[in-house]
Amino acid sequence: MSAAVENLKQLSALLDTALDLDESAREVWLSGLTGESARLGPSLRRLLQRGALRETGDLLDRGAVLVDSALQAPDSPAAGGRVGPYRLLRELAQGGMGAVWLAERADGQLKRQVALKLPHLGWAPGLAERFAREREILAALEHPNIARLYDAGLDSAGRPYMAIEYVEGLTPNAYCQSAGLGVTDRLRLLLQVADAVAYAHSRLVLHRDLKPANILVNGQGQVRLLDFGIAKLMEGGQAAETALTRAAGRALTLDYASPEQIRGDAIGTASDVYSLGVVAFELLAGAKPYELKRGSAAELEEAITAQDLPLCSAAAQSPATGKQLRGDIDAIVNRALKKDPTERYPTVDALAQDLRRHLEGRRVQALPDTWAYRARRLIRRYRVPLGAGLVTVTAFALAVGAGATALVVGVLLLGLGVALWQARKAREQARRALQESRRAQAVQDFVLGLFRANADAQPDPVRARATTARELLDIGAARVRNALDQTPEVKDTMLSTLSEMYIDVGLNDEAAALAGERVALRRALYGAEDLRVADALVDQANAIDSTDDSKRAPLLLGVARQIVDRAAAGDTDLRLRVLFAQAQVTRYTEVSASLGFVQQATALMQRSGIGGDSLRRALYLEGLNLGFLGEHSAGLQRLEQAHRVSLNSTGPQPQWQIPECTAIYSNASATGDFGRAESALQHASDLSHRLNGPDHVDTTHVRLRLMRLYAWTSRAAESRTIELQLRALLDAPIPQSNANLHSVLLRTMSVQAWENGQLGDAAVLADRMVECYRRYTGDSLVLATAMQTRARIGGDTGALDAAERELAQALDMLSRALGSRQAPTALAAIRVDQAVVRLWAGDAAGALALLDRLAESLPVTMADARLKVPAIARWRAAALLDIGRAAEAVESAELGLRSMSSFLRPTDLPLLRADLLLEQGLALHTAGQLDRARDALAAALTLRQQNDDDRSIWRAMVELAQARTLLEQGDLEQARTLAASGRARASDAPVLAPHLAHRLRWDEGESADLR
């Protein structure tokens, strides 16, 4: 396949030479080709004969043929065929360099249809890496007017593919014609396109091939921008030539290409401005801006670079349309189509702002600010009040004749007052527009200066070009701090922008510092009680919530809330921001209060008729808090409602779906619904890999949860694979991208090690975990849970006094963090652990009393509590056996097993099943039912062998228990084998778990028989 690319490179060079020759000289030149060039002669002749270069980059809409059939990759796609994980349904479009197929996933995941792009060419060495990098760039473009990239990769045969959102719609020209839209509605469609392109530019991505064929309008009039296939990440504000473009040739569509693209110059955002100007010209006038006699590619290139363009109104297909286009629209389109990029709009957003000014009747920047122009705009904008003034004058004349002078004077004064008010309003709007323009220009100058920090015009250009995103942000932050004092509004904007960018790259401490400086700046500019200060305080609180300084966030939001409460005029949106932020930052420390903030926000939304993303956020936070409070079923219901809002939203919501899905997983798991939990996690995993890549903090969070889920559902090998991959992160520096990731990593790994019987490893990790949570959150429900985990591990290794104290502290901290609304289920796990430690300390009666009280307090018929039943039954059986009530112990263990079977799948929670079977076997042995005891212990051992670590102390315990039963049955050989195996595993533990000796009660005679 790489040979095809090499052929294309040679063919492209030969074509360039051929096109520079007159047709009379071309044949002589072709006949003189030698070597490799002669081999490509037939392909070259065919391409020249067909005039295929008319549309070199029009890959999919006109069927232009750049690549000769002899150079294409084999195995053409066909309906029903497979490409990667996708099944091809039908071809949507075909072009010389690619095809687009309607396809659907064929691997059972995400049953949705996609537009699958299949380039004909294979990949040269190194291009797969470039393809993957551009895929990640494009996947980050989440905007309601940009078709989403769902997936991209290479299939098993090495063929590239891209899976893009399938959009059913028409091109803007066809849509407007079919709907009979006028100029105003066409401008609104253009604004949707401009917003999408401006968003891409804000992410440093150029489109480079804007044309009607890459824009679709659906039945609801919503634009989707397609095909960023030749888009590039901007480097220093310009898109540089790369090996990819050198290999594939010039990828563009001549009709919409900018002069600098034709010339082969470096391009920047101004190139997309030009292409959008051509799209606008054609959509508004109904004709293209260039009138060509011969229609050749060479003539078109010459026109683009040198020919003066007609006005849009002059090219209009009807006089009425031309009249509407004269003036503002002509000036706007003409400025966008300037040959010199420096004379165009500096950004697509600036072009969009001028279109909006026109639609609102305000002065556009594209026209000079003359008195005549301002008068025309004033008349157009204020035709109603000026008409009222004319009526007033007429009334005055008539009234004088009638002798009603006093009445006329009053009417005249009233009209004059209206006119003066309108004039003042116009002046204020003009002042604001000028201020916005100056701010936009200053921001643009700042950003361009920032990118020039790694341009070639530097003392050390090689080092400058190697500047990382982090270094670029640091340069920007230093410049903001030391400059822009003369334009404080611009400084305010840049502090906010840089803070958001720091968060985007995971540098929350730096983001928080800039957010704090922005608060200080706004206080100096507007005063401490201004609502803009409250708004900045919310940003600062959100920024520090993921840092070691998170405990300050509630204090900052308290100040913001006071400012909003004292404001004379309410600001609903700002009040919602404050309430949501208060709910967010108190979710671990004051859960009942956090739920209260959410409910206040929900009530405010209902009064104001607000929905959309605010509704999604309210449902998410409410579900999260209900789960913490032990109301898992209700929490799950709210979280799934929030997720449905996200899935049905047309806005850029996918990133939010990741925490939604992990919260759904947590609550579904707490009710024993592991199927629902897995479905949510799989969606989060696919989404995070697509949006963020495999090493992102969100992807790591999801993988940790998948590790636990696989362990809970009898997939030990898959769980262990993830564990081994992520263990390397335990000794890595604590990632700034998320201050709690290291805490979660330590907690998950310590619990995994504990459940797998690696008590020494679990204890070390638990110590680190508690200290990490203590620093990250202070007193909170997550620190309480961490202390509970460490205490439980400590109890199993014999540190009983310390474990009892820490569990008491954890229970107190958890109760305070949850607040008044906590359900009994929220404290059930920690109370079970208290009973276990008491059991190991020899107080079986006390342990049984604790467990019985807990069982009575739980609503056992509810899904929230049903997973607690088998855990309580397991330890009740152990306590009952310790106090000599073996028959009741058997009954309790069997109750736990039956309860698991009633709502869990056979493969769910295999280690809990093994524990219940162990308790059942021990109790049956004591009751003298040795055959049943042997069978129960054999089943327990099988589960441990299939799902446990090979060196697990828990597996050792089952082996020793079974050896004891077999010894009593007379099977000495098998008993010795199991005893030796169990002792070897137990000897690996740094501290022999106290319940090994305590529970098995071996006497010296039994031990001697097994030696």
Side-chain angles (χ1 to χ4, degrees), residues 1 129 477 641 676 836 848 892:
M1 291 185 179
E129 181 182 353
Q641 288 175 336
R676 193 184 314 192
V836 173
L848 182 62
S892 182

Side-chain angles (χ1 to χ4, degrees), residues 88-105:
L88 301 179
L89 300 179
R90 60 183 171 87
E91 191 175 68
L92 298 174
Q94 175 68 243
M97 291 182 71
V100 179
W101 282 74
L102 180 65
E104 65 181 5
R105 288 194 75 107

Side-chain angles (χ1 to χ4, degrees), residues 300-320:
L300 180 56
E301 289 191 2
E302 182 181 357
I304 292 172
T305 56
Q307 179 180 307
D308 290 333
L309 294 175
L311 290 175
C312 194
S313 60
Q317 299 300 289
S318 72

Side-chain angles (χ1 to χ4, degrees), residues 270 273 331-332 334-346:
V273 170
I332 292 170
N334 184 59
R335 183 174 177 185
L337 294 175
K338 292 292 185 183
K339 306 292 183 190
D340 186 346
T342 62
E343 296 179 1
R344 294 177 208 147
Y345 288 99

